[in-house]
Amino acid sequence: MAANLYNIEQNHKVAPIMTDAEVSADLADHLKVCMKAVSEDRNKQAFAELFDHFAPRLRAYSLAREPGSSLVADELAQDVMIKVWNKAHTYKPDMAAVSTWIFTLARNSRI
């Protein structure tokens, strides 16, 4: 028998592959749940998930605008995530996606 690249036994069921759109929708829903938990309950675990997801993206956003400015990028990411914690109650899920709201905070912080 040939080696199974994914180490899946013959009788083991494999979850169907999700499309990019399904993954994106699941992620967007999860981020909304995290924002709601931060907003309503000041949930630190939910905030940690938001931080882990958005901090690298905010840093990349800053570096795309100012290449080579690592310290500025780190500062922007931290500043924006502090604003997320402090302003979570102002987020309106029916108005924008979590990512849109957070990157609007980032853009406004850069001005």
Side-chain angles (χ1 to χ4, degrees), residues 16-105:
I17 296 173
M18 295 175 68
T19 65
D20 288 343
E22 291 170 326
V23 170
S24 294
D26 283 352
L27 178 59
D29 290 343
H30 179 70
L31 295 173
K32 281 185 182 183
V33 168
C34 288
M35 275 300 297
K36 184 176 181 180
V38 171
S39 174
E40 294 176 359
D41 304 326
R42 306 298 278 177
N43 186 302
K44 292 178 183 176
Q45 179 61 38
F47 180 74
E49 288 188 43
L50 290 172
F51 190 95
D52 290 345
H53 179 78
F54 284 107
R57 289 164 174 80
L58 290 166
R59 192 173 187 288
Y61 167 77
S62 181
L63 286 171
R65 301 285 185 241
E66 287 183 59
S69 299
S70 265
L71 293 176
V72 172
D74 291 340
E75 189 174 319
L76 177 76
Q78 288 184 2
D79 183 50
V80 170
M81 294 311 296
I82 289 169
K83 286 180 182 180
V84 168
W85 178 258
N86 290 330
K87 295 183 174 196
H89 66 281
T90 66
Y91 171 68
K92 305 281 187 263
D94 54 328
M95 300 286 284
V98 175
S99 59
T100 302
W101 185 73
I102 290 176
F103 278 98
T104 299
L105 291 175

Side-chain angles (χ1 to χ4, degrees), residues 1 4 8-13:
M1 179 175 209
N4 189 332
I8 300 171
E9 296 179 20
Q10 287 180 338
N11 296 329
H12 186 260
K13 290 186 179 179

